[in-house]
Amino acid sequence: MQPTAAVILKSGRDRSVRQRHPRLFASAIKQIDGRPRDGDVVDVLDNKGEWLARGIINQQAQIAIRLLTWRSEEAIDESFWHARVQAAIARRQRDPALRCTNAIRWVFSESDGLPGLIADDYAGHLALEISSLLAWRALPVLKAALTQALSPLRIICQMDEERLRHEFGGTVPRAVREALETPPSDALVEIRECEARFLVRPASGQKTGFYLDQRANRIRVAAYCQGATVLNAFSYTGGFGVHALRGGASRVLNVDSSAEALRLAEQNCALNVGAEGRDRYACTEADVFALLRALHQQGERFDVVILDPPKFAHHPDQVNRAARAYKDLNRIALGLINSGGILATFSCSGVVDASLFQKIIFSAALEAGRETRIVERLTQASDHPVLLTFPESEYLKGFICRVE
Ligand code: SAH
């Protein structure tokens, strides 16, 4: 596709483009020379007419231009998309951390120069999540590139409805919805994460079916679980719990509010420890906040407590409220830990950074009256890389703490 227009930026608004930030907001635009349609390729120029970058315009969205290249000779054509997909895959094929698994995020949106596309592989079943107009428009060629590189058994698409609504000025068009709405599927796929095995329903449930971003952290936390009693709060389909069982936990309690996720958690525990391990785990459907309080009152204590809650803050203006929720949750959890035990605590809210999260845990520990030491700092798995020019791609942080 040839650029159909030149977008001139307001004076002083070229900085983020020069720093290669992939998102350009409508407020930075002074004028548009040409009449581009949404989804067209456009060139971006500074106030004095100097060429800066090339991207795809969407005037219905707040992110008016998604920048794709800072090299003027690079065209956004079919071979461009193929090259981007191939590069993303090649990066991960060289990644030693991914050798023990067949469940891999091959494409992580802006971090791989493909804004709005996520491609998660579950043992050959490829789940694509689309969250931008540009990924929707490029979908046929993106699918062709992924097929050529990975020969998947099948490709299943889903949409990030909230993000897509913003891309289409409020409502997702019917044609898009129909193409991306995942047909309900009962088909379970078995994946492996080092020694552990999991059943996943691709493009169904949460994320694209499984929390691949916690892969390395599940293995780190399991190392503390030998002989331990473990409370796995916000368990989803049992991720941390399964690794804890394999790591020798004497007992694991998985807690989640989703009955569907817990049914899979049961199956996943059974798959890994068999019938003889049946009395080593339990799955309870409950609100974590309420259950933790009840367990505390009953005098229950655990050697290891894992907290992996959903995103509490989606926007910067929700940070204060989220901080209070994280603090309350961690304070209650700290009260449940045996002296010398472990708290593994996470936040996947991008707007709560690691230093703020540390302050929150500090306050929680102070209020709980527990002397607490961070012994490990954790982040998202390496197939969710943080592109330095797009710091927003960093979102998951966690601490393993020793609690006295
Ligand atoms: N640790 C999991 C991922 C957790 S995602 C893994 O490794 O796979 C967060 C989970 O919290 C979701 O499964 C969601 O159903 C659950 N959840 C959200 N709010 C909850 C609440 N108030 N009480 C219990 N579970 C909750």
XYZ file of all heavy atoms in Angstrom, residues 313-397:
654
model
N -6.197 -1.877 38.013
C -6.221 -0.523 37.427
C -6.015 -0.605 35.921
O -5.028 -1.177 35.455
C -5.135 0.339 38.052
N -6.961 -0.036 35.180
C -6.841 -0.016 33.717
C -6.343 1.331 33.216
O -5.812 1.432 32.125
C -8.197 -0.342 33.076
C -8.667 -1.729 33.411
N -8.470 -2.795 32.567
C -9.276 -2.224 34.510
C -8.972 -3.889 33.127
N -9.464 -3.567 34.306
N -6.575 2.391 34.016
C -6.188 3.752 33.622
C -5.465 4.407 34.784
O -5.699 4.058 35.936
C -7.439 4.573 33.266
C -8.267 3.936 32.193
N -7.856 3.895 30.876
C -9.449 3.277 32.253
C -8.768 3.244 30.172
N -9.734 2.854 30.972
N -4.628 5.405 34.477
C -3.906 6.097 35.552
C -4.836 6.642 36.640
O -4.468 6.635 37.818
C -3.191 7.238 34.820
C -3.031 6.746 33.423
C -4.213 5.879 33.142
N -6.050 7.039 36.268
C -6.926 7.606 37.311
C -7.513 6.536 38.239
O -8.240 6.852 39.175
C -8.036 8.487 36.690
C -8.877 7.728 35.681
O -8.618 6.524 35.482
O -9.791 8.335 35.083
N -7.203 5.273 37.973
C -7.675 4.205 38.877
C -6.574 3.725 39.814
O -6.776 2.793 40.596
C -8.186 3.015 38.052
C -9.382 3.357 37.177
C -9.698 2.253 36.188
O -8.839 1.453 35.830
N -10.938 2.220 35.717
N -5.399 4.366 39.741
C -4.246 3.867 40.487
C -4.481 3.893 42.007
O -4.171 2.920 42.700
C -2.960 4.653 40.116
C -1.851 4.387 41.116
C -2.489 4.247 38.727
N -5.054 4.989 42.515
C -5.230 5.084 43.972
C -6.154 4.003 44.509
O -5.860 3.351 45.513
C -5.769 6.464 44.358
C -4.680 7.512 44.234
O -3.483 7.179 44.222
N -5.091 8.760 44.114
N -7.257 3.817 43.788
C -8.211 2.783 44.227
C -7.569 1.399 44.153
O -7.714 0.581 45.050
C -9.460 2.852 43.341
C -10.719 2.461 44.072
C -11.877 2.367 43.119
N -11.542 1.480 41.996
C -12.193 1.485 40.840
N -13.194 2.301 40.636
N -11.843 0.644 39.879
N -6.830 1.179 43.062
C -6.168 -0.120 42.900
C -5.139 -0.336 44.005
O -5.028 -1.437 44.555
C -5.497 -0.185 41.529
N -4.402 0.715 44.329
C -3.369 0.593 45.363
C -3.989 0.147 46.686
O -3.444 -0.706 47.391
C -2.627 1.921 45.527
N -5.155 0.712 47.004
C -5.836 0.308 48.249
C -6.255 -1.154 48.191
O -6.094 -1.898 49.164
C -7.065 1.191 48.489
C -6.720 2.494 49.201
C -7.975 3.163 49.750
N -8.902 3.552 48.684
C -8.790 4.672 47.969
N -7.804 5.512 48.219
N -9.658 4.977 47.017
N -6.757 -1.583 47.038
C -7.187 -2.982 46.908
C -5.984 -3.928 47.028
O -6.049 -4.950 47.721
C -7.903 -3.190 45.573
N -4.877 -3.581 46.362
C -3.670 -4.428 46.484
C -3.197 -4.474 47.941
O -2.789 -5.515 48.438
C -2.540 -3.890 45.594
C -2.695 -4.188 44.117
C -2.747 -3.164 43.177
C -2.767 -5.505 43.655
C -2.882 -3.422 41.813
C -2.906 -5.776 42.294
C -2.965 -4.732 41.379
O -3.098 -5.006 40.043
N -3.246 -3.325 48.597
C -2.756 -3.283 49.980
C -3.628 -4.156 50.882
O -3.118 -4.966 51.657
C -2.717 -1.849 50.508
C -1.934 -1.743 51.804
C -2.048 -0.390 52.437
C -3.427 -0.226 53.038
N -3.610 1.093 53.658
N -4.945 -4.005 50.770
C -5.847 -4.805 51.605
C -5.625 -6.292 51.368
O -5.491 -7.076 52.305
C -7.309 -4.475 51.281
C -7.695 -3.090 51.790
O -6.916 -2.525 52.593
O -8.747 -2.568 51.366
N -5.579 -6.651 50.095
C -5.410 -8.060 49.736
C -4.118 -8.625 50.332
O -4.106 -9.705 50.947
C -5.387 -8.168 48.209
C -5.152 -9.545 47.613
C -6.314 -10.473 47.961
C -5.024 -9.451 46.083
N -3.028 -7.893 50.168
C -1.730 -8.383 50.646
C -1.662 -8.396 52.171
O -1.051 -9.280 52.750
C -0.600 -7.566 50.026
C -0.292 -8.024 48.604
O 0.459 -8.974 48.397
N -0.916 -7.379 47.619
N -2.320 -7.413 52.807
C -2.331 -7.396 54.273
C -3.049 -8.631 54.808
O -2.546 -9.318 55.705
C -3.024 -6.125 54.779
C -2.943 -5.983 56.295
C -3.878 -4.912 56.826
N -5.262 -5.258 56.549
C -6.114 -4.497 55.863
N -5.729 -3.320 55.402
N -7.348 -4.896 55.648
N -4.190 -8.947 54.231
C -4.947 -10.124 54.699
C -4.129 -11.388 54.442
O -4.032 -12.271 55.297
C -6.322 -10.234 53.986
C -7.110 -8.931 54.123
C -7.124 -11.384 54.539
C -8.294 -8.820 53.151
N -3.499 -11.464 53.269
C -2.715 -12.654 52.925
C -1.521 -12.820 53.876
O -1.221 -13.937 54.323
C -2.231 -12.556 51.480
N -0.867 -11.713 54.203
C 0.303 -11.797 55.098
C -0.083 -12.388 56.450
O 0.685 -13.144 57.057
C 0.916 -10.404 55.279
C 1.804 -9.930 54.116
C 1.938 -8.411 54.126
C 3.174 -10.608 54.186
N -1.307 -12.085 56.882
C -1.781 -12.611 58.159
C -2.013 -14.110 58.142
O -2.186 -14.735 59.190
N -2.019 -14.698 56.964
C -2.291 -16.140 56.834
C -1.016 -16.977 56.710
O -1.080 -18.197 56.543
C -3.127 -16.385 55.569
C -4.626 -16.137 55.660
C -5.248 -16.152 54.272
C -5.272 -17.206 56.526
N 0.149 -16.308 56.723
C 1.398 -17.019 56.413
C 2.131 -17.414 57.693
O 2.323 -16.596 58.604
C 2.291 -16.142 55.507
C 1.557 -15.869 54.178
C 3.638 -16.814 55.249
C 2.256 -14.877 53.266
N 2.520 -18.673 57.765
C 3.318 -19.145 58.895
C 4.634 -18.382 58.955
O 5.172 -17.967 57.925
C 3.646 -20.637 58.729
C 2.428 -21.507 58.980
O 1.611 -21.203 59.862
N 2.290 -22.576 58.198
N 5.179 -18.222 60.138
C 6.454 -17.525 60.291
C 7.538 -18.249 59.484
O 7.653 -19.473 59.538
C 6.827 -17.468 61.763
O 8.053 -16.810 61.894
N 8.271 -17.484 58.699
C 9.296 -18.081 57.833
C 8.741 -18.510 56.484
O 9.472 -19.031 55.641
N 7.460 -18.247 56.259
C 6.809 -18.668 55.013
C 7.016 -17.674 53.877
O 7.788 -16.713 53.988
N 6.289 -17.943 52.791
C 6.518 -17.197 51.532
C 5.221 -16.535 51.060
O 4.157 -17.171 51.056
C 7.015 -18.175 50.435
C 8.433 -18.685 50.741
C 6.949 -17.543 49.038
C 9.533 -17.650 50.562
N 5.358 -15.270 50.638
C 4.282 -14.604 49.905
C 4.788 -14.373 48.484
O 5.826 -13.728 48.289
C 3.939 -13.251 50.546
C 2.968 -12.372 49.739
C 1.561 -12.971 49.716
C 2.909 -10.939 50.312
N 4.079 -14.919 47.497
C 4.399 -14.624 46.084
C 3.269 -13.756 45.577
O 2.134 -14.209 45.437
C 4.498 -15.909 45.276
N 3.581 -12.482 45.345
C 2.507 -11.529 45.064
C 2.746 -10.802 43.742
O 3.871 -10.420 43.445
C 2.351 -10.535 46.242
O 1.235 -9.678 45.977
C 3.598 -9.691 46.473
N 1.674 -10.652 42.971
C 1.800 -10.096 41.615
C 0.828 -8.950 41.393
O -0.217 -8.869 42.038
C 1.501 -11.182 40.571
C 2.496 -12.304 40.597
C 2.282 -13.419 41.413
C 3.656 -12.233 39.853
C 3.207 -14.442 41.456
C 4.587 -13.255 39.891
C 4.361 -14.363 40.696
N 1.188 -8.117 40.414
C 0.263 -7.122 39.871
C 0.460 -7.085 38.368
O 1.585 -6.964 37.881
C 0.543 -5.736 40.454
O -0.038 -4.753 39.600
N -0.633 -7.196 37.613
C -0.535 -7.105 36.151
C -1.092 -5.777 35.651
O -1.362 -5.619 34.471
C -1.234 -8.294 35.490
S -2.981 -8.390 35.872
N -1.248 -4.819 36.590
C -1.702 -3.481 36.182
C -0.492 -2.698 35.689
O 0.386 -2.347 36.479
C -2.325 -2.731 37.363
O -3.357 -3.485 37.947
N -0.467 -2.387 34.406
C 0.668 -1.653 33.841
C 0.886 -0.297 34.498
O 2.012 0.158 34.648
N -0.214 0.342 34.920
C -0.085 1.685 35.495
C 0.421 1.673 36.942
O 0.722 2.724 37.494
C -1.411 2.486 35.389
C -1.690 2.858 33.938
C -2.578 1.720 35.987
N 0.494 0.490 37.543
C 1.129 0.358 38.858
C 2.529 -0.198 38.601
O 2.686 -1.378 38.297
C 0.321 -0.594 39.773
C 1.046 -0.848 41.089
C -1.074 -0.048 40.023
N 3.550 0.638 38.687
C 4.886 0.132 38.344
C 5.521 -0.581 39.543
O 4.966 -0.594 40.654
C 5.783 1.233 37.774
C 6.119 2.305 38.797
O 5.948 2.067 40.012
O 6.550 3.393 38.366
N 6.681 -1.176 39.298
C 7.281 -2.039 40.325
C 7.604 -1.257 41.595
O 7.456 -1.780 42.706
C 8.531 -2.720 39.780
N 8.024 0.003 41.445
C 8.395 0.731 42.657
C 7.151 1.086 43.475
O 7.167 1.025 44.707
C 9.270 1.947 42.322
O 8.489 3.074 42.089
N 6.055 1.427 42.792
C 4.804 1.669 43.527
C 4.313 0.363 44.162
O 3.885 0.345 45.317
C 3.731 2.256 42.595
C 2.332 2.405 43.206
C 2.358 3.278 44.461
C 1.341 2.993 42.192
N 4.409 -0.718 43.423
C 3.947 -2.002 43.964
C 4.751 -2.367 45.221
O 4.191 -2.840 46.211
C 4.057 -3.096 42.893
C 3.333 -4.366 43.260
C 2.010 -4.335 43.695
C 3.975 -5.593 43.172
C 1.339 -5.509 44.036
C 3.311 -6.780 43.511
C 1.991 -6.728 43.951
N 6.046 -2.086 45.201
C 6.872 -2.358 46.382
C 6.393 -1.516 47.572
O 6.321 -2.012 48.704
C 8.345 -2.067 46.072
C 9.242 -2.326 47.281
C 10.725 -2.327 46.926
O 11.097 -2.617 45.795
N 11.553 -2.019 47.904
N 6.047 -0.247 47.313
C 5.552 0.615 48.406
C 4.240 0.064 48.965
O 3.988 0.123 50.166
C 5.338 2.038 47.895
C 6.641 2.759 47.639
C 6.397 4.203 47.212
C 7.704 4.834 46.769
N 7.641 5.365 45.400
N 3.402 -0.459 48.069
C 2.120 -1.027 48.508
C 2.356 -2.232 49.421
O 1.727 -2.367 50.475
C 1.259 -1.423 47.272
C 0.855 -0.174 46.484
C 0.041 -2.224 47.691
C 0.271 -0.457 45.097
N 3.287 -3.095 49.030
C 3.568 -4.290 49.842
C 4.197 -3.879 51.170
O 3.935 -4.470 52.222
C 4.479 -5.280 49.071
C 3.878 -5.630 47.696
C 4.704 -6.571 49.879
C 2.451 -6.131 47.705
N 5.022 -2.829 51.133
C 5.602 -2.270 52.368
C 4.481 -1.864 53.330
O 4.485 -2.239 54.504
C 6.494 -1.074 51.995
C 6.668 -0.050 53.075
C 7.538 -0.284 54.143
C 5.969 1.149 53.031
C 7.692 0.663 55.142
C 6.121 2.104 54.029
C 6.975 1.862 55.090
N 3.492 -1.115 52.815
C 2.387 -0.671 53.683
C 1.602 -1.859 54.221
O 1.222 -1.886 55.391
C 1.412 0.224 52.917
O 2.064 1.358 52.442
N 1.380 -2.838 53.352
C 0.617 -4.024 53.767
C 1.353 -4.764 54.882
O 0.752 -5.169 55.887
C 0.395 -4.949 52.571
N 2.674 -4.897 54.729
C 3.479 -5.626 55.724
C 3.497 -4.874 57.048
O 3.404 -5.473 58.130
C 4.900 -5.838 55.188
N 3.610 -3.552 56.942
C 3.622 -2.714 58.148
C 2.305 -2.885 58.909
O 2.292 -3.111 60.116
C 3.802 -1.262 57.721
C 4.498 -0.314 58.687
C 5.883 -0.832 59.071
C 4.625 1.069 58.027
N 1.189 -2.793 58.179
C -0.128 -2.915 58.822
C -0.357 -4.314 59.370
O -1.022 -4.489 60.383
C -1.240 -2.547 57.821
C -1.306 -1.056 57.576
C -2.439 -0.659 56.638
O -3.374 -1.466 56.425
O -2.373 0.470 56.104
N 0.199 -5.309 58.681
C 0.014 -6.692 59.148
C 0.970 -7.007 60.300
O 0.846 -8.038 60.953
C 0.243 -7.670 57.997
N 1.950 -6.131 60.518
C 2.930 -6.364 61.578
C 3.845 -7.530 61.267
O 4.256 -8.261 62.172
N 4.179 -7.731 59.984
C 5.047 -8.846 59.603
C 6.328 -8.316 58.962
O 6.268 -7.544 57.991
C 4.327 -9.759 58.594
C 3.012 -10.335 59.071
C 3.144 -11.207 60.301
N 3.902 -12.420 60.091
C 3.352 -13.595 59.731
N 2.053 -13.683 59.528
N 4.113 -14.655 59.576
N 7.477 -8.729 59.500
C 8.753 -8.330 58.895
C 8.924 -9.129 57.603
O 8.869 -10.356 57.606
C 9.901 -8.621 59.864
C 11.226 -8.088 59.380
C 12.306 -8.205 60.452
O 12.231 -7.483 61.456
O 13.215 -9.036 60.265
N 9.105 -8.411 56.512
C 9.035 -9.037 55.192
C 10.235 -8.644 54.352
O 10.637 -7.486 54.341
C 7.727 -8.586 54.499
O 6.622 -8.981 55.316
C 7.563 -9.210 53.125
N 10.804 -9.627 53.666
C 11.965 -9.364 52.797
C 11.680 -9.839 51.382
O 11.207 -10.969 51.206
C 13.188 -10.129 53.309
C 13.693 -9.635 54.619
C 14.824 -10.497 55.161
N 15.385 -9.859 56.350
C 14.841 -9.910 57.560
N 13.730 -10.609 57.756
N 15.388 -9.262 58.570
N 11.997 -9.002 50.402
C 11.895 -9.454 49.009
C 13.097 -10.342 48.727
O 14.238 -9.920 48.927
C 11.888 -8.260 48.032
C 10.628 -7.408 48.255
C 11.964 -8.750 46.586
C 10.571 -6.148 47.409
N 12.841 -11.566 48.290
C 13.966 -12.446 47.951
C 14.101 -12.645 46.436
O 15.158 -13.022 45.954
C 13.885 -13.811 48.684
C 14.098 -13.609 50.172
C 12.559 -14.522 48.427
N 13.022 -12.370 45.685
C 13.124 -12.442 44.221
C 12.158 -11.433 43.626
O 11.056 -11.243 44.135
C 12.747 -13.839 43.691
C 13.793 -14.900 43.955
C 13.565 -16.163 43.123
O 13.351 -16.061 41.903
O 13.571 -17.246 43.733
N 12.592 -10.823 42.509
C 11.728 -9.902 41.764
C 11.408 -10.552 40.428
O 12.312 -11.008 39.735
C 12.452 -8.584 41.500
C 12.714 -7.788 42.736
C 13.663 -6.640 42.455
N 13.994 -5.991 43.705
C 13.230 -5.057 44.271
N 12.146 -4.632 43.650
N 13.554 -4.540 45.420
N 10.135 -10.559 40.096
C 9.704 -11.298 38.902
C 9.024 -10.376 37.895
O 8.510 -9.317 38.248
C 8.732 -12.408 39.313
C 9.248 -13.372 40.404
C 8.151 -14.337 40.821
C 10.473 -14.136 39.939
N 9.023 -10.802 36.652
C 8.373 -10.007 35.602
C 7.715 -10.946 34.594
O 7.654 -12.159 34.813
C 9.404 -9.046 34.957
O 8.731 -8.232 33.996
C 10.520 -9.803 34.250
N 7.211 -10.365 33.490
C 6.513 -11.182 32.498
C 7.502 -12.079 31.732
O 8.684 -11.745 31.623
C 5.743 -10.281 31.539
C 6.596 -9.307 30.766
C 5.917 -7.944 30.607
O 5.462 -7.342 31.566
N 5.871 -7.434 29.391
N 7.015 -13.185 31.219
C 7.862 -14.163 30.527
C 8.505 -13.551 29.279
O 8.015 -12.556 28.730
C 7.022 -15.381 30.150
N 9.578 -14.180 28.820
C 10.398 -13.582 27.756
C 9.714 -13.567 26.389
O 10.175 -12.871 25.491
C 11.726 -14.326 27.653
O 11.482 -15.692 27.362
N 8.620 -14.306 26.233
C 7.885 -14.181 24.969
C 6.871 -13.032 25.034
O 6.088 -12.839 24.102
C 7.198 -15.499 24.553
C 6.378 -16.124 25.649
O 6.440 -15.655 26.804
O 5.652 -17.095 25.368
N 6.933 -12.247 26.140
C 6.171 -11.001 26.270
C 7.198 -9.884 26.478
O 7.208 -9.209 27.512
C 5.231 -11.055 27.477
C 4.175 -12.117 27.418
N 4.454 -13.447 27.220
C 2.840 -12.038 27.535
C 3.319 -14.126 27.218
N 2.333 -13.299 27.406
N 8.110 -9.692 25.504
C 9.229 -8.780 25.747
C 8.784 -7.325 25.874
O 7.739 -6.943 25.361
C 10.108 -8.963 24.505
C 9.176 -9.409 23.438
C 8.133 -10.239 24.129
N 9.611 -6.559 26.580
C 9.333 -5.132 26.755
C 10.142 -4.369 25.712
O 11.370 -4.362 25.747
C 9.734 -4.671 28.172
C 9.470 -3.173 28.333
C 8.989 -5.487 29.226
N 9.439 -3.753 24.760
C 10.115 -2.934 23.755
C 10.490 -1.611 24.423
O 9.630 -0.916 24.964
C 9.164 -2.691 22.581
C 9.720 -1.888 21.405
C 10.811 -2.670 20.673
C 8.597 -1.519 20.433
N 11.782 -1.271 24.390
C 12.228 -0.101 25.153
C 11.573 1.192 24.678
O 11.371 2.107 25.468
C 13.751 0.030 25.086
C 14.505 -0.994 25.945
C 16.008 -0.826 25.775
C 14.121 -0.877 27.412
N 11.232 1.268 23.397
C 10.579 2.478 22.900
C 9.083 2.486 23.227
O 8.385 3.442 22.909
C 10.749 2.607 21.372
O 10.260 1.407 20.770
C 12.206 2.802 21.001
N 8.607 1.410 23.846
C 7.192 1.317 24.211
C 7.096 0.762 25.632
O 6.746 -0.399 25.850
C 6.461 0.403 23.210
C 4.966 0.317 23.426
C 4.184 1.461 23.461
C 4.345 -0.914 23.570
C 2.811 1.383 23.656
C 2.970 -1.011 23.760
C 2.209 0.151 23.801
N 7.439 1.610 26.620
C 7.482 1.123 28.002
C 6.146 0.591 28.493
O 6.104 -0.195 29.444
C 7.929 2.344 28.817
C 7.850 3.512 27.903
C 7.857 3.013 26.499
N 5.052 0.988 27.838
C 3.734 0.468 28.220
C 3.644 -1.045 28.053
O 2.724 -1.674 28.580
C 2.631 1.108 27.368
C 2.444 2.598 27.585
C 3.341 3.466 26.699
O 4.421 3.002 26.282
O 2.958 4.623 26.440
N 4.592 -1.642 27.315
C 4.523 -3.100 27.142
C 4.962 -3.852 28.401
O 4.816 -5.063 28.486
C 5.352 -3.537 25.927
O 6.671 -3.036 25.995
N 5.507 -3.122 29.371
C 5.864 -3.759 30.645
C 4.660 -3.658 31.580
O 4.195 -2.566 31.883
C 7.059 -3.027 31.262
C 7.499 -3.625 32.570
C 8.848 -3.095 33.020
O 9.362 -2.134 32.419
O 9.388 -3.666 33.989
N 4.130 -4.773 32.033
C 2.933 -4.679 32.874
C 2.956 -5.619 34.070
O 2.385 -5.327 35.107
C 1.663 -4.948 32.034
C 1.596 -6.369 31.486
C 0.851 -7.345 32.128
C 2.314 -6.726 30.352
C 0.815 -8.643 31.658
C 2.278 -8.026 29.864
C 1.530 -8.976 30.529
O 1.510 -10.270 30.065
N 3.629 -6.757 33.965
C 3.554 -7.735 35.057
C 4.756 -7.600 35.986
O 5.896 -7.537 35.515
C 3.510 -9.156 34.473
C 3.398 -10.309 35.476
C 2.108 -10.232 36.274
C 3.493 -11.658 34.771
N 4.486 -7.516 37.276
C 5.583 -7.494 38.232
C 5.189 -8.345 39.434
O 3.985 -8.471 39.732
C 5.954 -6.066 38.652
C 5.008 -5.393 39.572
C 4.224 -4.215 39.029
C 4.068 -4.119 37.553
N 2.683 -3.657 37.175
